[in-house]
């Protein structure tokens, strides 16, 4: 009896095969467009999606094209309840196909702090790009501010969460 002709691998089987080897899976679902406007956030390190050498450089439009989250909370730095809008750090990491265990968040003033990826949830923190609907100036802790829904969870009312609440965020490095 003749051997059956070799079948090409089905797309589904190929996807399963790739999922077993994340390192050789397609780097990025879609080509990442280069920034058209001023770059507000650079992401480097263990990411699969880049648009400038080994970095992903995002302008406001690219950031705002990611899933958007809004919540209201007080902060220890502001008066009264504020409405923050931005992208969840988890969504940013996923959209850039990040694979490291630690996020190093750096501010314009070179302040930096480690955020363990396993302490990043779907909701918190977010990288806020708007406060009360308006872009934040550098003077107002913008243009990007890592914020937690502080009022929602006592865990976020802690020195650890405050130290991770980087304002004037400019750069993120994903490392192991
Ligand atoms: N850009 C920037 N963000 C920052 C800091 C900083 O120095 N620069 N300090 C962090 C630390 S360690 C804490 S505890 C809080 C401190 O805020 P405070 O100095 O207003 O008390 O902000 C965090 N975010
Ligand atoms: Mo701190």
């Amino acid at each position: 009896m003749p051997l059956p002709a070799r079948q090409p691998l089905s797309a589904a089987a190929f996807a399963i095969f790739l999922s077993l080897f994340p390192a050789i899976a397609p780097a990025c679902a879609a080509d990442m467009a280069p920034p058209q406007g001023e770059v507000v956030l650079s992401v480097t390190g263990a990411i699969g999606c880049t648009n400038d050498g080994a970095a992903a450089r995002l302008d406001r439009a690219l950031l705002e094209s990611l899933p958007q989250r809004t919540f209201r909370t007080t902060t220890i730095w502001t008066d009264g309840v504020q409405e923050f809008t931005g992208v969840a750090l988890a969504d940013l990491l996923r959209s850039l196909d990040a694979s490291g265990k630690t996020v190093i968040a750096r501010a314009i003033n070179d302040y930096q702090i480690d955020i363990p990826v396993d302490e990043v949830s779907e909701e918190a923190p977010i990288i806020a790009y708007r406060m009360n609907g308006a872009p934040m100036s550098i003077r107002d802790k913008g243009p990007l501010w890592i914020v937690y829904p502080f009022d929602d969870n006592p865990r976020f009312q802690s020195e650890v969460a405050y130290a991770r609440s980087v304002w004037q965020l400019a750069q993120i490095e994903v490392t192991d």
Side-chain angles (χ1 to χ4, degrees):
M1 199 169 107
L3 287 170
R6 291 184 75 190
Q7 293 295 310
L9 207 53
S10 77
F14 187 59
I16 292 166
F17 170 79
L18 283 181
S19 72
L20 299 174
F21 302 97
I24 60 164
C28 200
D31 281 345
M32 195 180 162
Q36 302 295 309
E38 190 193 337
V39 172
V40 288
L41 181 66
S42 294
V43 187
T44 58
I47 54 173
C49 305
T50 57
N51 62 0
D52 182 13
R57 302 207 194 276
L58 294 94
D59 57 15
R60 292 191 72 91
L62 282 167
L63 269 182
E64 297 197 15
S65 73
L66 298 172
Q68 200 172 89
R69 277 168 203 270
T70 296
F71 56 73
R72 295 165 63 80
T73 186
T74 62
T75 85
I76 60 171
W77 304 277
T78 48
D79 287 331
V81 175
Q82 315 294 327
E83 182 188 83
F84 291 100
T85 303
V87 57
L89 180 55
D91 284 328
L92 177 75
L93 294 176
R94 197 165 24 244
S95 75
L96 296 180
D97 195 19
S99 56
K101 294 186 183 69
T102 307
V103 161
I104 308 172
R106 291 197 184 91
I108 288 168
N109 70 342
D110 287 338
Y111 173 78
Q112 72 168 59
I113 192 86
D114 288 3
I115 304 177
V117 170
D118 63 10
E119 291 177 32
V120 172
S121 73
E122 290 303 312
E123 305 79 39
I126 69 167
I127 299 172
Y129 43 73
R130 262 182 260 150
M131 186 165 65
N132 304 317
M136 293 168 279
S137 64
I138 289 178
R139 179 176 297 186
D140 285 332
K141 303 204 184 302
L144 302 180
W145 186 4
I146 297 180
V147 284
Y148 291 77
F150 301 101
D151 293 349
D152 288 359
N153 192 324
R155 249 186 332 121
F156 302 147
Q157 296 156 33
S158 65
E159 188 62 29
V160 169
Y162 298 149
R164 293 175 185 170
S165 300
V166 179
W167 55 82
Q168 300 167 342
L169 175 74
Q171 208 211 319
I172 281 178
E173 187 181 333
V174 186
T175 73
D176 272 331

